Amino acid sequence: MNHFLMSSSAAVKTSFHGNQRVHVILGSESCDLDSVVSSVAMAYFLSRSSSGPSGGSLVLPVLNVPRLLFPLRADVLLLLRESGISTDTLVFRDEVDLIGLHGDRRLVLTLVDHSVLQSSDSDLEGALTEVIDHHQSERTAPVPCPVTVDTVASCTTLVTERILSRAPEILDRQLALLLYGVIVVDSVNLSPQVGKGTAKDSQMLRLLQRQFPDLPHRGALHTSLQTAKFDLSGLSTEQILLKDMRLAAGAGVRVAVSSVFMSLDLFLRRRNLQEDLCDFCHSHRLEAVVAMTISFNDQSDEPVRQLALYSPSSQHRQQISHALLTIQSPALCLSPIRNPYKDILAYHQGNALASRRQILPVLTHFLSDWWQREVHCGVDDEEDVEDQLDMMTADTFPVSRDSSAGLADCPPPRVYSTSHHHRRRLLMGAEDYGSTEEGFCGRTMPPAPVNSLVDSCPLDGGFNQEALLEKFSWMGGVGEERGGSGEEEEEDEESATFFILPFITQ
């Protein structure tokens, strides 16, 4: 396998050969143990078996993160090192131009450990030749290629089954250790208390152990890899969130869902946590972060799952919280936990078997559905936009009585009377985070508003108060000529005053 990986890496560095087709095996953007090993093992299988591509195509496993982020995966690094694989021989997403290859009609694509391309890769859909996944399908439309979906503990289980049934001769101890290690971790060592392991996971482990009796003891290997996975010492909050992050997005709303391998109590006690979360949202263009913490009881192998939801916008917090509280398949059984931060909602997750892979499709669907319901429901004129905004802010998604305690500190944001243009910007979603009342992530001042009564920013110099007042008087005259009702004139004056006063007082 080392020779295969080295030759694949070398081919990328030389930009491939002429018009050579490239068959990429792409794991998920979480780039966890399962994704990495499924990608590498499946590529090796295709390169060595008759199932592989013909015509001299290059088979290339691609890890779906930038190389810079890979050192955060301590458990992956440990298993690769124990298997004798150097990270220098691996190819990362920022080292190969998949869009360019597809544009040149040279790309063949197989997905492992996920079934749906992230939105930025949607153009690659036409290159798909196979999908192998162990999650419930997130696809809303059929894909014109073979799809293998089996809800086992690990996608590596399905790759192992493929190798043992079609090309068992390629299996050596190095490859067996990779496959074995991932299945042990993802099935939580087949723990009956956790219940993640299936009959097929157990069968693949038995077959690997039978063929290679000197593989490490399951319990010891599980402990070593779990310890490495949970070791977050020296990492910043941003690195902890990026370590195992997936994105849920729906028409302009982006929510990071990160697996965090520590207790919620330890996570909430991190220094400057709320400020770090605010910076994380700003730098990664996110509206919210859901941190799903995972720890284990000292007395058993049973996982303890808890959840922290952060958003600088109280409206987003309430809406996303409602979505999580009302998930039914499976229900998370969330109960609120008090915490010292006004912009963070914390919950204990009663259903410890419900993982991120089951939450992501529900959350993605909710975001898309919310956007359609709140923004694209036949709102054609500006008065309807105002009514829609008032409804959103006066009565955001209701929360059940049992969960209202956790949201008591998050009242809907008040929206002051503004111009039609500014109200539309609030509804459609401004570039800044939070409302003007909340400030920017709890800080002192939001970005300066755009003044609709002047042609440029008055802070640029040359501000003429008399000219501005003259323009204001002219607008009042236009309102009188229009013959509007007294209520309309009063609203227009209030709207204009909202914008003019900050600049006059300066």
Side-chain angles (χ1 to χ4, degrees):
M1 179 182 287
N2 284 337
H3 177 72
F4 161 71
L5 292 174
M6 286 189 289
S7 59
S8 298
S9 177
V12 172
K13 293 175 182 177
T14 58
S15 301
F16 312 115
H17 295 105
N19 294 321
Q20 183 182 32
R21 289 172 65 82
V22 182
H23 188 164
V24 169
I25 316 302
L26 185 68
S28 74
E29 62 269 27
S30 66
C31 199
D32 58 6
L33 260 177
D34 193 17
S35 179
V36 170
V37 172
S38 292
S39 177
V40 170
M42 188 64 188
Y44 183 61
F45 161 74
L46 290 174
S47 70
R48 293 287 307 276
S49 71
S50 58
S51 303
S54 58
S57 296
L58 171 71
V59 183
L60 184 67
V62 175
L63 308 192
N64 205 357
V65 293
R67 182 180 287 273
L68 184 65
L69 295 181
F70 194 59
L72 300 178
R73 277 75 172 174
D75 53 336
V76 183
L77 294 174
L78 175 60
L79 184 58
L80 291 176
R81 184 170 64 247
E82 292 299 313
S83 303
I85 294 177
S86 169
T87 57
D88 293 338
T89 64
L90 301 176
V91 177
F92 294 86
R93 183 56 198 271
D94 56 338
E95 297 171 341
V96 58
D97 181 10
L98 300 186
I99 302 295
L101 285 171
H102 185 48
D104 294 337
R105 299 185 178 181
R106 298 169 56 196
L107 179 66
V108 179
L109 185 62
T110 291
L111 300 184
V112 292
D113 199 30
H114 66 313
S115 60
V116 179
L117 288 161
Q118 50 194 334
S119 57
S120 58
D121 288 336
S122 58
D123 290 343
L124 303 179
E125 189 84 9
L128 277 180
T129 190
E130 186 174 8
V131 173
I132 304 173
D133 194 15
H134 68 119
H135 306 124
Q136 292 181 349
S137 178
E138 300 173 23
R139 287 192 165 272
T140 56
V143 58
C145 72
V147 176
T148 300
V149 175
D150 191 345
T151 53
V152 292
S154 173
C155 184
T156 300
T157 296
L158 305 179
V159 175
T160 303
E161 182 181 42
R162 179 79 60 93
I163 292 172
L164 290 177
S165 63
R166 300 189 189 179
E169 69 280 357
I170 74 169
L171 190 66
D172 58 13
R173 189 184 184 282
Q174 182 184 46
L175 178 56
L177 178 56
L178 287 172
L179 302 170
Y180 177 80
V182 177
I183 301 172
V184 165
V185 169
D186 282 0
S187 67
V188 195
N189 196 22
L190 297 176
S191 168
Q193 291 85 1
V194 177
K196 286 191 68 177
T198 67
K200 185 173 289 187
D201 297 305
S202 179
Q203 179 190 17
M204 293 303 110
L205 285 178
R206 284 198 308 272
L207 292 174
L208 291 171
Q209 286 177 307
R210 185 181 304 166
Q211 193 164 343
F212 299 94
D214 63 335
L215 286 172
H217 184 272
R218 267 194 3 229
L221 183 60
H222 176 261
T223 299
S224 298
L225 292 173
Q226 282 288 84
T227 300
K229 185 175 185 177
F230 279 72
D231 183 12
L232 303 178
S233 57
L235 298 185
S236 66
T237 299
E238 179 181 33
Q239 290 172 323
I240 288 172
L241 294 171
L242 288 173
K243 180 181 173 72
D244 193 355
M245 186 186 87
R246 298 290 296 273
L247 189 67
V253 180
R254 291 161 48 90
V255 179
V257 184
S258 297
S259 294
V260 175
F261 301 103
M262 63 170 61
S263 69
L264 181 62
D265 180 60
L266 285 176
F267 183 70
L268 291 175
R269 282 196 277 134
R270 293 185 64 83
R271 182 178 298 179
N272 301 323
L273 176 64
Q274 186 164 292
E275 182 177 344
D276 288 345
L277 291 172
C278 173
D279 291 339
F280 186 75
C281 283
H282 181 57
S283 60
H284 296 278
R285 298 180 294 110
L286 301 167
E287 278 65 49
V289 176
V290 178
M292 299 186 68
T293 66
I294 306 170
S295 56
F296 287 86
N297 282 322
D298 294 335
Q299 290 77 24
S300 70
D301 287 333
E302 294 184 17
V304 177
R305 291 184 181 269
Q306 295 170 301
L307 186 150
L309 164 61
Y310 167 81
S311 176
S313 162
S314 61
Q315 188 177 25
H316 280 119
R317 283 196 302 277
Q318 290 193 31
Q319 290 159 353
I320 296 168
S321 172
H322 173 75
L324 296 172
L325 286 164
T326 55
I327 287 177
Q328 295 299 320
S329 299
L332 302 183
C333 305
L334 298 179
S335 54
I337 299 174
R338 288 188 176 276
N339 76 89
Y341 300 104
K342 75 178 186 69
D343 292 344
I344 298 176
L345 299 177
Y347 299 95
H348 177 78
Q349 183 178 317
N351 181 4
L353 297 181
S355 64
R356 180 180 60 180
R357 75 185 189 191
Q358 295 158 313
I359 293 173
L360 273 171
V362 177
L363 188 54
T364 300
H365 175 75
F366 166 78
L367 294 174
S368 299
D369 186 59
W370 167 65
W371 178 269
Q372 294 291 332
R373 183 169 57 249
E374 298 293 351
V375 179
H376 296 298
C377 294
V379 182
D380 294 326
D381 56 55
E382 293 183 353
E383 291 183 3
D384 287 341
V385 170
E386 292 181 21
D387 294 341
Q388 188 84 356
L389 179 59
D390 289 337
M391 287 189 292
M392 286 171 60
T393 55
D395 186 19
T396 54
F397 290 99
V399 180
S400 64
R401 184 181 301 272
D402 293 338
S403 61
S404 60
L407 300 175
D409 298 330
C410 303
R414 180 182 174 190
V415 179
Y416 294 97
S417 178
T418 63
S419 69
H420 294 315
H421 169 70
H422 190 60
R423 291 173 74 88
R424 180 178 288 275
R425 286 183 70 240
L426 284 174
L427 179 58
M428 295 304 183
E431 292 79 10
D432 25 320
Y433 294 87
S435 67
T436 55
E437 183 180 22
E438 291 176 304
F440 182 70
C441 298
R443 295 174 187 173
T444 54
M445 286 293 291
V450 176
N451 194 321
S452 60
L453 303 179
V454 295
D455 298 323
S456 61
C457 177
L459 301 181
D460 291 340
F463 173 64
N464 188 324
Q465 180 171 321
E466 293 181 3
L468 182 59
L469 291 173
E470 182 180 350
K471 184 176 291 190
F472 176 65
S473 300
W474 176 82
M475 290 182 66
V478 171
E480 292 175 1
E481 291 175 7
R482 247 189 350 234
S485 67
E487 289 181 2
E488 289 174 341
E489 292 174 7
E490 182 179 349
E491 182 181 349
D492 286 341
E493 287 181 10
E494 184 184 3
S495 299
T497 305
F498 177 84
F499 281 99
I500 194 171
L501 284 178
F503 298 126
I504 292 178
T505 55
Q506 288 177 8

